[in-house]
Amino acid sequence: MLNLLNGPQTMGRGRVFWICAALVLAAALVYPAFADPYDVGNFGYFLIWIFMALGLCVMWGLCGMLSFGQTFFFGIGGYAYGVLAIILGNGPAATIVGLFGAVALAGLAAAVLGYFMIYGRISGVFFGIVTLSFTLALAFFLGQTAGPEWAIGRARLNGFNGMQGMSPLSVPWFGGPVVLEETALYYVLVAGLTATYLLLRVLANSRFGNVLVAVREDPERAELLGYDVRRYQLIAFVLGSALAGVSGVLYTSWGQFITPSSIGLPAAAMPIIWVAFSGRTDLTATLVGTFLLLVGFQTLTIYSQETALVVMGALLAATILFVPRGFVVGIGELLARPRRKRLAPALSPDDARP
Amino acid sequence: MMGNLFSYFYQFADVFSFLVLSAAGLAIIFGMMGVINMAHGEFIMCGVYVTAATFHAGLPLPLAQACGTLVAALIGMVLEVVLIRPLYNRPLDSLLVTWGLSLVATQGTLVLVGSTFPGIGTPGGGFEVGGYGFSVYRMVLFAASLLVLAFVYLLFMRTRFGVHARAVMQNAGMAQALGVRRSQVYALSFGIGAGLAGLCGALYAPTMSLIPTMGASFIVEAFVTVVVGGSSVLLGTAPAAAALAIVRTGLNAWYGQIIGQIGLLIAVILIIRVLPDGFSGWLAKRES
Amino acid sequence: MNRRSLLLGATAAPLLGLGHFAQAATPIKIGLLEDISGDLASIGLPKLHGSQLAADEVNAAGGIMGRPVELIHLDPQGDNARYQEFARRVLQRDKVDVLIGGITSASREAVRPIVDRLNAFYIYTNQYEGGVCDGSMLSVGAVPEQQLSTLLPWMVEKFGKKIYTIAADYNFGHLSSAWGNSILKPLGCEIVGEEFIPLGVSQFAQTIQNIQRAKPDWLYMLDVGAAQTSFYEQKNAAGVSLPMASPVKIMLGFEHKRFPPGVMKDMYAAANWFEELDTPGAENFKKRWRAKFPNEVYVNDMGYNAYVAVMMYKMLVERAKSTKKDDIRQVMAAGDAGIEAPEGRIVIDPKSQHCSHVMRLISVDAQNKVSTLKDFGDIKPYWLSQVGCDLTKSDPKEQYTPDHLPTR
């Protein structure tokens, strides 16, 4: 299985890449020893969002389905975790049930909606807009739950002001449970993200991943070759959406707060921006690019005040115009170019054309 | 009785014109070029601001509105050449570029013009039917939406540009081989789409409060109309707007605005489930 | 400065009697979160200006206990997640002494768990739907019992008992409408219509018609956001002309400076601050504001409250002789902690940590002119302590509403 870590569907292979990756991971692990607690917490906060970016990378980059629905499942996960954590109370057992329950619910919702759309042969741009409609409908719905009648047990959805008062995730540990905050949360996120990233790499290079790419390149051809295209699409959609649910749970636990504005526009467009900027066809690019973009946008907002959004928009447009395959993929290809001449011509995962 | 009947018509006409006017520009750009223009709301905002600024400078309202439309169209054509042209074969990327553009436009307007802008005031006054008061200007908007539909029809069916445009739409390569200049057609289409967005803004400028982010309040309606309409403006936009207006008017009247809004989105999902290519895809299929 | 000079300084300072001076030079840091981009920029900008004016004046007058005030402003762009990020940043990284800001109730609720966890002190400067019973928070804006229990009975007396409510479908709208009902029903009023409008809706033909059908005596307006203010223009165009009452128009949204004359005609509001207020204290304040920000469209109550918040904080720190939250809370618990604000004297209620306000009834005429019709005098925030919130005894850190009351 480990040999599937490398393959045609993922950039970066060979000793140099893996040594670099190990160094980055090691640096991430020792980072809290040198940084002040705020930076560690903030760093961890960025990692929360990467799960949903990776999910979008799987369904859009690998399988060609542009979904505006990442924040829909983010919201399902977040709100479900909130409800469960409020009803079940704190402590590792309760919050971990909350985590898995919420992610399962997000996955289930994705299975139902995905079935509706994918088996209804909705594709291309329309897939994006139908998912956007779902997302906006959920945001509108949650926005109007301000009244006391919108409560599940003790958990009030609380409309636009958002749900709050849920206990943060905690894990059992030697010498008593540890609440996942700051440094503890950071380490769990680093571990979780590393595991997710490696598993998705294996998946992408497995037979399953190859079929996904075949579907992206030409669904009809894939179908004629005997694959049940819709089943593959549905699995990719559920997987990607469940990852958005993971982000939702983590975000809610991190701030003990979630509102409908994390679901509606403009939040719904953000994952697409991250992934497109990074290079949607590659997991590593998505991982690195999303992180850089999150750091970059926050830094811009802090230092450039009211011009931040102008700079962001201009940067984004410039990236798309001048680095067509995505920023990180572009750099990755630049780095790989001299090696590629010596090696066999790499399969170029061409742009997903809708 | 008379009042109630007219009021149903009035409500329907009001929602219908809002849907048609806000969607027409988006539909042309999407139908012609396959580009989803995320900056559509900002072209509307541009129409609003230019109209308001020229009106305050002393122009009569209709002229100010013409200015708003023209400026939006010109900006659209320039942006098409600079931003969209390099992305002809990458429609999804043009979505991102236009999204970036919309960020720059809203926040740029905020920084340059300020967070609020003095309003215009609705002309025309009111009239009464069966004991209810109605706004004359709303009827003007309805007429304008019908005129826009007629304009689009004539443009595509009765002009040389229309023939070229439809040729490019059906088969860009073949059309180019026959001497149609695709880039010219696209630049014009984008200009017309942006101009129609500007027109929408210009027409609604006297009825709304003006802030840089106001384009967003048109976006959801514009998108759903285009999706339900499908890729052809000629066949799709009018029936889509009519269908959605009926759904929305009914729900608004019986259950209030919240259900109206959610119901609109659910109707979209259901219609797309039944007609994956929208109304125009369905109509085109029936014709062939 | 390397370590040796630091050591030298540390040993030299007490010898030279500079210890006091060195301490005096460290500024008191105020973390400020105000939107200056995005949807709410038109409200966030005057708030930022109010804080800046206050900081300038405090520094010009020798600072707080001799220490200068330093504002650390970040722009959360109207995004709740950014509010969370930046609240952490200013509290943990910049180690500010107090956090001020937030516009929507959602942004306040986003910030509050972080403030509570980091045991910080937070001042919320907006008028809002009321009910937050949290020892870490001081609210300087007006709350419903101050705005509505003055305004609504006056409207009933003047215009009649049939009322149509139009509210944003938003916590503020729901709660204020419930507040309205609880005040109006005992007066024998009939709510002939109650409509909730989703945020961002800008078209009101149906609503206008419903109003005409219900034939109310006046409208109770609780709309929120720029899109919803389009209602006024559209209602006028349809020829509906009814008196209106609102706790958020005029002094907050300065619609009378943005809309053509006639649109806001017959709008009534109860305000602790509005720019047309002409007491000597108010005139002086406006002059100072206009000297610093000559292009301000309107000095609205949010900006004014932001100014008051800094002044209130100065008073609290000086009386507590400390910036520690516990010491400040002891001052607030005394019950007489207050300042002479431009509106008049305002005092912190010890049980709820909300402020009393001098409320005035204002109205707009057909020429967009604002006039003061009545001075209600000093109105205390009484609701929270009435339902059992007593921060001098316990700190539940909750937001209570009429349908979510503390369990006694």
Side-chain angles (χ1 to χ4, degrees):
Chain A
M1 196 171 120
L2 277 180
N3 59 347
L4 287 174
L5 278 174
N6 293 317
Q9 311 310 351
T10 49
M11 268 180 24
R13 67 204 75 153
R15 196 174 295 160
V16 179
F17 172 80
W18 286 109
I19 289 175
C20 287
L23 285 177
V24 170
L25 180 63
L29 288 176
V30 297
Y31 177 69
F34 301 100
D36 83 276
Y38 162 74
D39 283 313
V40 177
N42 198 36
F43 205 105
Y45 168 77
F46 292 135
L47 301 182
I48 289 174
W49 302 95
I50 296 180
F51 290 93
M52 77 197 282
L54 287 176
L56 186 64
C57 177
V58 170
M59 66 173 99
W60 183 26
L62 294 181
C63 195
M65 292 181 291
L66 171 59
S67 166
F68 263 95
Q70 285 305 77
T71 54
F72 179 92
F73 302 105
F74 177 93
I76 300 254
Y79 270 92
Y81 174 77
V83 170
L84 288 170
I86 288 176
I87 292 177
L88 300 175
N90 53 10
T95 53
I96 287 173
V97 168
L99 167 68
F100 284 102
V103 174
L105 196 70
L108 189 70
V112 174
L113 293 186
Y115 177 79
F116 232 86
M117 292 185 293
I118 291 164
Y119 282 77
R121 295 274 181 196
I122 293 170
S123 59
V125 170
F126 287 103
F127 194 87
I129 301 202
V130 173
T131 44
L132 182 61
S133 301
F134 277 123
T135 308
L136 293 176
L138 181 70
F140 275 124
F141 168 74
L142 288 170
Q144 56 89 49
T145 56
E149 68 276 21
W150 296 104
I152 303 169
R154 284 187 296 128
R156 279 189 58 172
L157 299 181
N158 203 27
F160 192 86
N161 280 12
M163 191 176 187
Q164 52 187 320
M166 60 288 281
S167 23
L169 280 168
S170 56
V171 290
W173 197 247
F174 313 105
V178 173
V179 176
L180 293 185
E181 291 181 317
E182 313 290 334
T183 310
L185 177 66
Y186 172 80
Y187 276 116
V188 168
L189 285 170
V190 169
L193 201 57
T194 311
T196 309
Y197 167 70
L198 293 176
L199 283 174
L200 287 179
R201 262 188 92 111
V202 169
L203 190 80
N205 290 315
S206 68
R207 188 178 154 280
F208 178 79
N210 286 329
V211 177
L212 288 190
V213 174
V215 171
R216 175 189 77 196
E217 294 297 312
D218 192 335
E220 282 174 13
R221 189 169 59 196
E223 191 146 33
L224 288 173
L225 288 170
Y227 294 105
D228 184 352
V229 167
R230 294 182 292 184
R231 207 183 66 194
Y232 282 91
Q233 286 178 324
L234 184 61
I235 295 174
F237 184 69
V238 171
L239 178 65
S241 304
L243 282 171
V246 172
S247 282
V249 172
L250 292 170
Y251 170 76
T252 309
S253 161
W254 172 80
Q256 287 135 59
F257 178 70
I258 183 163
T259 66
S261 48
S262 303
I263 298 169
L265 283 174
M270 293 317 288
I272 295 170
I273 308 298
W274 301 330
V275 174
F277 171 86
S278 317
R280 61 174 170 275
T281 48
D282 188 74
L283 290 163
T284 317
T286 301
L287 179 83
V288 177
T290 304
F291 182 77
L292 291 178
L293 212 54
L294 285 163
V295 176
F297 276 10
Q298 194 195 59
T299 315
L300 264 177
T301 312
I302 291 170
Y303 292 106
S304 61
Q305 297 273 319
E306 70 250 64
T307 51
L309 289 171
V310 177
V311 178
M312 271 181 223
L315 263 183
L316 185 76
T319 311
I320 302 290
L321 282 175
F322 300 119
V323 200
R325 299 272 310 277
F327 187 70
V328 181
V329 167
I331 291 177
E333 278 175 353
L334 217 61
L335 290 176
R337 198 169 289 159
R339 295 172 52 79
R340 215 171 255 181
K341 279 188 193 142
R342 279 185 283 121
L343 299 166
L347 271 173
S348 119
D350 198 16
D351 266 8
R353 297 243 165 86
Chain B
M1 185 59 206
M2 185 61 203
N4 278 333
L5 268 186
F6 181 76
S7 109
Y8 286 128
F9 164 72
Y10 178 86
Q11 299 302 336
F12 168 82
D14 193 54
V15 179
F16 177 82
S17 41
F18 188 74
L19 292 172
V20 167
L21 289 171
S22 59
L26 190 70
I28 285 192
I29 292 172
F30 175 63
M32 282 299 306
M33 313 168 63
V35 168
I36 300 181
N37 179 16
M38 296 296 278
H40 181 64
E42 282 56 49
F43 283 110
I44 296 181
M45 183 265 289
C46 165
V48 172
Y49 269 63
V50 172
T51 303
T54 47
F55 177 80
H56 291 309
L59 279 191
L61 184 62
L63 273 184
Q65 289 175 320
C67 285
T69 312
L70 278 179
V71 170
L74 284 177
I75 294 181
M77 278 164 74
V78 172
L79 288 176
E80 198 277 340
V81 175
V82 179
L83 290 179
I84 312 293
R85 188 157 296 176
L87 306 174
Y88 276 171
N89 297 322
R90 293 153 51 200
L92 283 177
D93 288 345
S94 57
L95 180 151
L96 295 167
V97 166
T98 49
W99 191 77
L101 179 67
S102 81
L103 280 187
V104 174
T106 8
Q107 192 59 27
T109 309
L110 179 76
V111 172
L112 296 176
V113 185
S115 55
T116 58
F117 203 73
I120 293 180
T122 313
F127 63 98
E128 243 183 63
V129 180
Y132 293 122
F134 300 97
S135 161
V136 173
Y137 191 72
R138 294 266 142 184
M139 291 287 99
V140 174
L141 290 177
F142 182 57
S145 71
L146 296 180
L147 281 178
V148 163
L149 287 173
F151 164 77
V152 171
Y153 179 82
L154 291 177
L155 180 74
F156 281 93
M157 303 307 282
R158 293 277 191 276
T159 65
R160 195 174 175 76
F161 165 78
V163 176
H164 287 177
R166 281 184 294 144
V168 171
M169 207 161 116
Q170 275 191 347
N171 190 333
M174 183 64 82
Q176 273 176 301
L178 291 171
V180 176
R181 290 173 67 183
R182 179 175 75 156
S183 52
Q184 224 170 42
V185 170
Y186 275 4
L188 263 177
S189 313
F190 203 87
I192 291 169
L196 284 176
L199 175 69
C200 167
L203 286 171
Y204 278 95
T207 71
M208 294 178 70
S209 54
L210 316 188
I211 57 164
T213 49
M214 66 183 297
S217 54
F218 294 86
I219 279 298
V220 174
E221 278 84 355
F223 269 88
V224 297
T225 313
V226 172
V227 172
V228 172
S231 54
S232 162
V233 204
L234 291 180
L235 294 173
T237 305
L244 292 175
I246 290 172
V247 171
R248 176 127 200 204
T249 316
L251 291 174
N252 271 355
W254 288 311
Y255 300 104
Q257 289 244 31
I258 303 165
I259 302 291
Q261 186 92 330
I262 295 180
L264 183 76
L265 295 168
I266 291 176
V268 171
I269 294 164
L270 294 178
I271 293 175
I272 286 296
R273 178 69 183 83
V274 184
L275 313 171
D277 297 321
F279 273 101
S280 61
W282 179 65
L283 288 171
K285 224 176 266 168
R286 274 177 52 123
E287 263 175 35
S288 60
Chain C
M1 190 190 264
N2 59 32
R3 185 174 294 169
R4 181 148 25 120
S5 65
L6 196 76
L7 269 175
L8 267 178
T11 46
L15 289 176
L16 298 171
L18 288 174
H20 176 71
F21 181 79
Q23 195 197 0
T26 53
I28 287 186
K29 291 186 192 167
I30 297 179
L32 203 58
L33 302 183
E34 304 290 9
D35 298 330
I36 53 169
S37 22
D39 265 342
L40 298 170
S42 65
I43 297 173
L45 272 168
K47 292 187 71 184
L48 176 62
H49 292 166
S51 308
Q52 286 170 337
L53 177 66
D56 280 6
E57 290 185 2
V58 169
N59 284 338
I64 300 178
M65 295 192 305
R67 293 168 64 187
V69 167
E70 183 189 346
L71 289 181
I72 298 176
H73 171 246
L74 293 175
D75 171 19
Q77 303 174 331
D79 176 351
N80 295 332
R82 285 261 186 267
Y83 268 100
Q84 293 171 292
E85 292 167 31
F86 289 166
R88 273 170 183 254
R89 186 182 170 90
V90 292
L91 289 174
Q92 288 188 303
R93 155 73 67 84
D94 300 318
K95 307 219 166 20
V96 296
D97 297 287
V98 60
L99 180 67
I100 300 182
I103 293 184
T104 60
S105 290
S107 62
R108 179 196 66 235
E109 294 305 301
V111 163
R112 224 155 47 75
I114 294 163
V115 168
D116 286 333
R117 193 141 24 103
L118 298 173
N119 199 24
F121 183 50
Y122 170 53
I123 307 182
Y124 183 56
T125 53
N126 290 12
Q127 50 112 312
Y128 78 111
E129 69 273 8
V132 174
C133 180
D134 185 338
S136 310
M137 185 180 111
L138 165 66
S139 163
V140 297
V143 285
E145 60 265 38
Q146 292 168 323
Q147 294 191 298
L148 300 180
S149 62
T150 49
L151 172 66
L152 298 184
W154 189 88
M155 291 295 289
V156 173
E157 195 176 306
K158 180 104 195 250
F159 297 109
K161 298 190 167 181
K162 284 169 76 178
I163 296 133
Y164 198 103
T165 306
I166 296 166
D169 182 25
Y170 172 40
N171 301 50
F172 167 78
H174 279 276
L175 287 174
S176 304
S177 130
W179 259 102
N181 293 349
S182 71
I183 293 171
L184 294 169
K185 293 237 168 90
L187 295 173
C189 292
E190 185 193 355
I191 311 291
V192 293
E194 185 174 46
E195 210 170 317
F196 291 97
I197 312 291
L199 289 176
V201 161
S202 63
Q203 303 301 312
F204 290 93
Q206 183 70 52
T207 306
I208 291 165
Q209 199 160 350
N210 295 345
I211 294 172
Q212 299 188 353
R213 191 171 300 142
K215 298 193 174 54
D217 295 323
W218 53 279
L219 304 175
Y220 178 30
M221 298 303 304
L222 298 164
D223 59 301
V224 169
Q228 292 191 352
T229 39
S230 304
F231 168 80
Y232 299 98
E233 189 68 69
Q234 295 173 17
K235 157 195 88 73
N236 256 34
V240 175
S241 143
L242 287 167
M244 300 173 285
S246 167
V248 283
K249 297 290 125 185
I250 313 303
M251 64 281 184
L252 195 163
F254 48 100
E255 289 77 6
H256 61 300
K257 295 282 172 194
R258 293 157 46 204
F259 294 164
V263 175
M264 296 310 283
K265 182 171 147 313
D266 283 338
M267 171 59 88
Y268 295 83
N272 62 315
W273 170 263
F274 49 103
E275 200 187 329
E276 291 78 5
L277 184 63
D278 53 6
T279 62
E283 291 292 354
N284 193 299
F285 172 70
K286 284 185 284 188
K287 206 182 294 159
R288 294 182 335 248
W289 186 298
R290 294 262 165 220
K292 189 164 164 65
F293 303 105
N295 294 325
E296 197 78 71
V297 180
Y298 186 76
V299 181
N300 74 349
D301 67 340
M302 293 261 192
Y304 163 82
N305 286 342
Y307 172 88
V308 167
V310 174
M311 294 303 181
M312 200 60 112
Y313 183 67
K314 170 181 154 79
M315 177 275 301
L316 288 171
V317 171
E318 284 177 345
R319 271 186 63 171
K321 298 196 175 49
S322 148
T323 55
K324 288 204 185 72
K325 183 174 88 178
D326 292 339
D327 300 335
I328 287 175
R329 286 197 60 195
Q330 277 188 358
V331 176
M332 292 195 284
D336 63 343
I339 58 168
E340 287 305 327
E343 67 177 273
R345 181 164 178 80
I346 59 177
V347 178
I348 299 172
D349 169 49
K351 288 184 174 174
S352 63
Q353 297 185 6
H354 284 55
C355 291
S356 72
H357 282 293
V358 184
M359 302 303 295
R360 291 171 177 93
L361 193 97
I362 57 175
S363 75
V364 183
D365 66 9
Q367 274 70 51
N368 270 348
K369 216 172 116 350
V370 170
S371 44
T372 313
L373 300 182
K374 186 173 177 179
D375 190 335
F376 293 105
D378 182 59
I379 307 280
K380 296 194 168 36
Y382 55 80
W383 184 74
L384 269 171
S385 52
Q386 214 171 54
V387 300
C389 162
D390 188 350
L391 289 168
T392 58
K393 298 209 170 71
S394 67
D395 184 2
K397 301 187 188 303
E398 278 252 32
Q399 182 174 16
Y400 296 120
T401 59
D403 53 54
H404 174 59
L405 294 173
T407 44
R408 303 210 190 188

